[in-house]
Amino acid sequence: MPTAALRRPALNVSVGPYLAAGIVVLFLGAFLVVPVLKVIQVAFQDPSSGAFTLVNFQDFFASTLFRQSFYNSVYVAGMSVVIASAIALPLAYFTTRFNFSGSVIIQTLAFVPLIMPPFIGAVAMQLLFGANGSVNLLLREYFGITIPFMKGLNGVIFVQSLHYFPFILINLSASLRNIDRSMEEAAQMLGSSGVRMFRRIVFPLAMPGYIAGASLVFVKVFDDLGTPLLLNVNTMLAPQAYLRISSVGISDPMGYVISCILIVFSIFAMWVSFLGMRGKDYSTTQKGGGGLSRRDLTRREAVLCYIVVLLILALVLAPHLGLLLLSFGTVWSFGVLPDGFTLAHYETALTSAWGFIQNTLLYAGLAGLIDIIIGTAIAYLVLRTNIIGRKWLDYMAVSALAVPGVVLGIGYLRVYYGVEMPLTGQPLATWWGIIVIALAVRRLPYALRSCTAALQQISPALEEAAENLGASKLRTVRRVVVPLMVSGLVAGFVTSFATAAVELSATIMLVSSEKDAPLAYGLYLFMQSAAGRGPGAALGIMAVVIVGLATYLSHRLVENARRNQAAASAPGGGH
Amino acid sequence: MNMPMKSMTGDGPAETADKGAGRVEPVEIDIRNVSLSFGRTEVLKGIDLKIEPGEFFAFLGPSGSGKSTLLRAIAGFGPTPKGQILLGGQDVVGTAPWKRNVGMVFQSYALWPHMTVARNVAFGLDERRVPKAETAKRVSAALEMVGMSQYAERYPSQLSGGQQQRVALARTIVVEPRVLLLDEPLSNLDANLRVQMRQDLLKLQRRLGITTIFVTHDQEEANTICDRIAVMADGVVQQVGRPDEVYDTPANAFVAKFLGTANVLEGVVEQRTDGNAFVLPSGIAIPCAGDARAGAGKLVLRPQSISFAQNGDGSLTGTVQSAEFLGGMIRYAVEVSGQTLLVDEVHNRGSGRRQAGEAVSLDVRHQEGVLIHD
């Protein structure tokens, strides 16, 4: 009896965490580390002999097409950062510096692009801004000019910057808000003001946030597959990788070489952002201090602000409006607006694409679930235990950020095509579950961030109190930690779910039959043909609504939970 | 870019000391009927204060008393107040903060994390377009003055709280502001450093001769270094005077209790044939000054004005309820006819301690008491 009583807690303390860590390592090893290492290995292998070689890279850079693709990808990603900055800077500045009633609109609407993947809007943008799109038709009629917004690479840059600028806006606004007003007041007290003060104090303090946002935009654009594919721009790296693998086959080394380049650039961008942030935790807000002081606008300034903001927002919402018009329009070609309006596309979409929607809900839901389970496990192991190598769990999960979807897809195909499913004998790489796993691995960093943040907010004293009253580690986690983390977990789940629901680059590599395809893939199929555009747009609108609703719901849940917790902790609260 | 700065700090300190932030012509601060509201909440209610040139002055009060708001109004931060704030005879209400030349040290220090110590200190001089060579000289002199020369090339995050405080001071005094405003400058330091730093502050202020306002909620800080203090509560100045003056003759019960410990007894002044007496509800009478106004009032008696009578022949008798050991003395709570009085007794090694329940006899040095009618 005494030995049994003694052994139980010992088991909980020492073996449990290692067991959990083991499962996490096994999962991430099999579905992240091994596939990526395989891709890198194949890139350096002679296709026939399997010996180490650099000849694949020589072949890559010897080809004009690949050199052009490489240059185009760098150019598009760089230009997208420039344009996205031009959109985000004024919005961030207006909302953090002035008492501007438009701030709420900006903060809300600026997130709208994120709930729709860029490739969905790409087709609608063709119709609005293309050579014969609404805007150019109007320009030609009234001014006799046209602007090649959507011509070739311009189109990709345009669509991508409109989609990804929120990353810069969010990060930049956050760093601006984290500047304590005393930073500015100290400068004013010493005689500084206006633009000079902005340049010397505010801008440098906001820089780390800007760099973080900008490098994220660079990498996202550099890796993106869907947008160039839909705009029919194939001379970029990600589309080339996809085309090589899907047309030449998984033994063609070029796809692997491109994957390596994509990984190198991802890591480089993350490194730049790390350098920008290192040792520069410029968050200076004090308890009870509050951020930068806001200024009231004069009437003229307010009008000017509104014009700039509305212009930007019109641009930002263009893909959504275009998609909406497309989904309700009968024929839309060589016209400013569609010829007539109909609900037929929605009917078609619902009847022929219902399978896609079901698959998406299932895949994204499962992926989100896997993410919060693994995310909670990692967060707990890192923050609350002292098992050896716990930091590496975190690094491993977060490293998924540096792995483009195309690369993960190629890796899965290469590693798991030869592995058969136990009962059916079907290759593992073509099973629908592999799509779920790919989505889960890709979105794990987001979910992990939510879980870690949620756990960090729980004082260890709450757990110690439970243990002091006789609860074991596992029971403490279940009865105290998880209930307190719920809002964070929901937020993590929804982030994973919403982004997984519209992800295309990994899924497009892994979908083996239309029956197993999720919504993003279905959209891609619809948008290929002129006749499919209407139903495709209807499907896109439905995707936006699903993702938007999910995001809104999670926001409400998180807010409610936070309010309840604040109310519950108020009596003991204070300092 | 930082190289010349570094070599400057390496130069002989004595030589640069008086070329930097030196003595400035002290100015008077005249606050006339200043009121200020945040929305509907009145934070300052008609403040009138005159601070002499070169004075080290304290705004002392609990949080929410309006002391920081008043300080910020002098610097030009926060909403524009009603009334006048004259610096050296010139009204600055409505003037932008960057045009006031008022030096302020923030509670949080507000050092810019992206600049080295030297760059932080040089900032105000850059803004004033001071030539580079002179800037370098003045920066090193200012850092010398606060004893931070060797840290010129560090970043604020590499400094301790006390060091950051010194840099914040150097950054402010290097521009030779007309007045120096210190917003709870010691509140983020640990107890020992606080005692050290307040002496350093006083020395620095005397050396510069600059009119200085020090905001604090700690009466000991205000008492030890300030020439005069203004005790504030609820947006109103309760009393102005030298620390000992305010302590000895508090204007009201709030001031009496905020500055040190006090027995504030309620009762009635009665004019009797053998002189005036302050009569407690229990009927106990304490003699009081002959010119005391008759009627209801409060008698403020410091614990050290009451002592234990040696032979049990004191004017009051009571029972010890509890004792607090304070080191140099023991503070007893003594019950006298239903009223609790605090009594201090000097403690020496081996002098022992009275027990709860012990019957005692008390002497009241009534001439040390203060009568207030509020």
Side-chain angles (χ1 to χ4, degrees):
Chain A
M1 277 302 274
T3 46
L6 278 173
R7 276 182 66 177
R8 273 183 68 100
L11 244 169
N12 277 336
V13 170
S14 59
V15 181
Y18 281 101
L19 200 70
I23 294 170
V24 172
V25 168
L26 219 62
F27 179 81
L28 289 177
F31 296 111
L32 177 62
V33 178
V34 170
V36 170
L37 290 181
K38 188 73 189 172
V39 167
I40 296 171
Q41 186 202 350
V42 174
F44 288 96
Q45 244 174 13
D46 187 290
S48 46
S49 70
F52 174 82
T53 178
L54 287 173
V55 85
N56 296 330
F57 285 84
Q58 272 170 14
D59 289 351
F60 176 86
F61 283 104
S63 145
T64 325
L65 172 67
F66 287 140
R67 274 207 312 270
Q68 188 62 39
S69 301
F70 177 77
Y71 166 77
N72 285 350
S73 282
V74 174
Y75 170 76
V76 165
M79 281 308 288
S80 298
V81 169
V82 173
I83 309 280
S85 304
I87 298 172
L89 285 173
L91 293 183
Y93 189 73
F94 292 154
T95 50
T96 47
R97 302 285 302 171
F98 302 118
N99 285 318
F100 177 50
S101 51
S103 294
V104 187
I105 310 175
I106 296 173
Q107 295 293 349
T108 320
L109 288 187
F111 285 85
V112 171
L114 288 183
I115 65 171
M116 184 171 87
F119 71 90
I120 298 184
V123 171
M125 291 298 278
Q126 281 281 24
L127 292 166
L128 286 175
F129 290 94
N132 294 311
S134 315
V135 171
N136 273 325
L137 286 179
L138 290 173
L139 282 176
R140 196 176 303 153
E141 193 169 331
Y142 291 101
F143 302 100
I145 54 159
T146 57
I147 301 171
F149 294 107
M150 299 296 292
K151 190 161 175 272
L153 300 179
N154 287 358
V156 184
I157 294 170
F158 192 40
V159 171
Q160 301 281 33
S161 15
L162 284 186
H163 179 70
Y164 285 118
F165 83 91
F167 284 125
I168 295 181
L169 177 62
I170 294 165
N171 282 295
L172 186 60
S173 306
S175 4
L176 281 172
R177 266 194 295 270
N178 279 337
I179 301 172
D180 191 76
R181 69 179 51 174
S182 69
M183 291 286 129
E184 247 189 340
E185 287 176 350
Q188 292 177 336
M189 175 270 287
L190 292 169
S192 197
S193 66
V195 178
R196 220 177 129 70
M197 182 181 73
F198 183 82
R199 192 171 57 74
R200 296 195 66 190
I201 305 294
V202 180
F203 187 72
L205 289 175
M207 202 58 196
Y210 173 74
I211 289 178
S215 51
L216 200 59
V217 171
F218 184 93
V219 113
K220 287 272 177 190
V221 175
F222 197 77
D223 294 347
D224 190 32
L225 174 60
T227 309
L229 270 187
L230 266 167
L231 290 173
N232 225 355
V233 175
N234 292 332
T235 48
M236 288 178 65
L237 287 181
Q240 280 301 321
Y242 168 67
L243 292 173
R244 292 300 283 206
I245 297 292
S246 60
S247 57
V248 183
I250 55 168
S251 56
D252 177 63
M254 283 306 113
Y256 299 89
V257 171
I258 295 174
S259 295
C260 277
I261 295 172
L262 293 178
I263 293 174
V264 166
F265 267 78
S266 288
I267 292 174
F268 176 72
M270 285 175 83
W271 180 67
V272 166
S273 129
F274 169 76
L275 277 192
M277 304 288 271
R278 189 181 51 178
K280 293 186 185 138
D281 182 13
Y282 287 170
S283 173
T284 49
T285 35
Q286 303 290 325
K287 201 165 48 184
L292 293 172
S293 57
R294 292 170 185 230
R295 191 161 70 79
D296 285 324
L297 289 168
T298 64
R299 257 192 103 71
R300 262 189 53 183
E301 288 173 328
V303 169
L304 218 75
C305 270
Y306 266 111
I307 290 174
V308 173
V309 164
L310 288 179
L311 219 77
I312 292 176
L313 287 181
L315 213 56
V316 164
L317 294 178
H320 304 75
L321 287 174
L323 201 69
L324 204 65
L325 283 175
L326 191 58
S327 75
F328 285 114
T330 48
V331 179
W332 189 5
S333 174
F334 282 96
V336 174
L337 289 173
D339 296 350
F341 293 97
T342 172
L343 280 172
H345 297 322
Y346 283 87
E347 221 182 296
T348 318
L350 275 177
T351 49
S352 62
W354 185 239
F356 295 143
I357 297 176
Q358 277 181 311
N359 285 343
T360 294
L361 293 177
L362 177 68
Y363 296 175
L366 283 177
L369 212 61
I370 295 174
D371 278 348
I372 57 161
I373 293 170
I374 297 183
T376 310
I378 295 178
Y380 194 84
L381 291 170
V382 170
L383 292 174
R384 292 290 200 268
T385 71
N386 45 13
I387 66 167
I388 302 148
R390 60 192 182 281
K391 273 274 161 204
W392 285 97
L393 285 175
D394 195 34
Y395 298 152
M396 214 156 122
V398 172
S399 70
L401 277 180
V403 180
V406 184
V407 177
L408 201 67
I410 294 176
Y412 281 13
L413 286 178
R414 181 77 186 206
V415 175
Y416 294 113
Y417 205 82
V419 181
E420 287 185 1
M421 293 280 294
L423 291 172
T424 57
Q426 180 195 8
L428 185 59
T430 64
W431 176 52
W432 64 267
I434 204 80
I435 302 176
V436 173
I437 293 173
L439 293 175
V441 168
R442 295 256 294 149
R443 303 311 177 202
L444 182 57
Y446 304 128
L448 177 58
R449 196 178 309 160
S450 299
C451 295
T452 307
L455 187 57
Q456 264 165 348
Q457 281 165 8
I458 303 171
S459 157
L462 294 177
E463 285 166 69
E464 285 162 5
E467 283 167 28
N468 175 250
L469 292 171
S472 69
K473 281 267 184 236
L474 204 63
R475 282 189 63 77
T476 304
V477 170
R478 224 182 60 213
R479 295 190 58 194
V480 176
V481 179
V482 170
L484 286 171
M485 280 175 76
V486 150
S487 64
L489 295 184
V490 170
F493 174 81
V494 172
T495 319
S496 291
F497 174 85
T499 51
V502 288
E503 116 91 48
L504 181 62
S505 42
T507 32
I508 200 174
M509 313 283 314
L510 294 171
V511 168
S512 55
S513 73
E514 215 168 289
K515 157 176 87 59
D516 288 338
L519 199 125
Y521 189 79
L523 263 166
Y524 175 64
L525 290 182
F526 272 110
M527 291 298 190
Q528 298 291 316
S529 67
R533 280 179 175 180
L539 206 55
I541 293 290
M542 286 190 263
V544 171
V545 169
I546 291 174
V547 173
L549 271 180
T551 311
Y552 173 74
L553 225 70
S554 81
H555 181 75
R556 284 293 301 272
L557 277 172
V558 171
E559 278 299 302
N560 278 345
R562 187 176 304 160
R563 215 168 300 141
N564 289 343
Q565 271 186 26
S569 62
H575 297 283
Chain B
M1 197 158 73
N2 290 328
M3 284 312 285
M5 210 70 82
K6 193 165 191 171
S7 62
M8 268 305 157
T9 49
D11 279 356
E15 172 224 14
T16 48
D18 45 12
K19 284 182 193 161
R23 274 194 84 88
V24 289
E25 198 51 49
V27 299
E28 179 193 74
I29 303 173
D30 191 358
I31 298 163
R32 292 184 188 166
N33 196 23
V34 164
S35 298
L36 193 151
S37 309
F38 290 129
R40 282 191 193 162
T41 335
E42 270 190 282
V43 188
L44 298 176
K45 303 168 188 166
I47 305 278
D48 279 299
L49 269 178
K50 205 169 211 175
I51 298 158
E52 301 298 328
E55 200 171 19
F56 200 152
F57 197 88
F59 292 168
L60 173 67
S63 58
S65 59
K67 57 191 192 305
S68 277
T69 307
L70 182 57
L71 193 80
R72 289 170 57 80
I74 297 171
F77 299 124
T80 309
K82 285 192 207 109
Q84 287 180 302
I85 298 173
L86 295 107
L87 301 183
Q90 173 203 357
D91 188 5
V92 293
V93 171
T95 307
W98 50 92
K99 291 181 182 152
R100 293 193 184 195
N101 198 19
V102 163
M104 177 156 166
V105 175
F106 293 81
Q107 185 175 8
S108 62
Y109 317 138
L111 295 178
W112 300 298
H114 62 296
M115 296 182 191
T116 60
V117 164
R119 302 297 313 157
N120 261 285
V121 177
F123 184 92
L125 299 174
D126 295 346
E127 291 303 316
R128 285 163 174 71
R129 308 285 191 274
V130 173
K132 275 206 170 357
E134 194 193 334
T135 298
K137 225 178 264 177
R138 283 170 67 174
V139 166
S140 69
L143 286 176
E144 181 67 32
M145 195 175 271
V146 297
M148 287 294 294
S149 297
Q150 66 271 44
Y151 299 104
E153 297 308 314
R154 295 254 186 116
Y155 281 90
S157 58
Q158 298 167 304
L159 302 178
S160 71
Q163 291 170 330
Q164 291 186 25
Q165 160 103 75
R166 288 165 187 276
V167 175
L169 256 174
R171 181 177 71 177
T172 304
I173 59 174
V174 76
V175 299
E176 296 175 359
R178 288 192 286 177
V179 298
L180 180 61
L181 309 178
L182 307 168
D183 189 4
E184 303 246 6
L186 307 178
S187 62
N188 286 332
L189 303 178
D190 62 49
N192 286 332
L193 198 55
R194 216 176 292 172
V195 173
Q196 162 75 37
M197 197 62 202
R198 68 190 188 204
Q199 286 311 318
D200 290 354
L201 270 179
L202 179 59
K203 272 184 218 150
L204 188 74
Q205 193 269 344
R206 290 292 185 248
R207 189 165 160 192
L208 297 173
I210 186 171
T211 313
T212 301
I213 302 177
F214 181 99
V215 162
T216 180
H217 61 266
D218 182 335
Q219 48 110 0
E220 187 182 310
E221 269 174 30
N223 288 344
T224 44
I225 53 175
C226 294
D227 299 319
R228 283 196 306 154
I229 58 180
V231 182
M232 293 183 67
D234 301 322
V236 175
V237 173
Q238 306 287 331
Q239 193 173 1
V240 182
R242 290 196 323 270
D244 53 337
E245 216 169 72
V246 178
Y247 182 87
D248 288 342
T249 51
N252 55 41
F254 172 82
V255 175
K257 285 186 170 163
F258 197 73
L259 269 86
T261 309
N263 293 299
V264 180
L265 309 173
E266 303 207 13
V268 181
V269 176
E270 287 179 6
Q271 277 154 352
R272 296 181 173 179
T273 48
D274 55 344
N276 291 348
F278 187 81
V279 184
L280 302 179
S282 57
I284 293 171
I286 299 169
C288 63
D291 55 354
R293 180 150 52 96
K298 286 174 185 162
L299 181 66
V300 176
L301 271 173
R302 298 288 178 190
Q304 64 270 31
S305 299
I306 310 176
S307 50
F308 293 99
Q310 290 307 323
N311 309 315
D313 55 358
S315 52
L316 302 174
T317 53
T319 319
V320 172
Q321 285 177 317
S322 61
E324 273 182 350
F325 179 64
L326 300 177
M329 59 177 72
I330 299 178
R331 178 161 297 159
Y332 293 97
V334 180
E335 199 218 301
V336 179
S337 311
Q339 188 131 27
T340 301
L341 291 181
L342 297 174
V343 181
D344 282 356
E345 186 174 44
V346 172
H347 172 76
N348 293 306
R349 187 171 172 204
S351 62
R353 184 165 171 164
R354 297 170 198 277
Q355 297 303 312
E358 195 178 321
V360 290
S361 166
L362 301 174
D363 273 332
V364 176
R365 287 189 296 283
H366 54 83
Q367 62 280 13
E368 292 173 10
V370 178
L371 259 180
I372 51 181
H373 302 270
D374 63 358

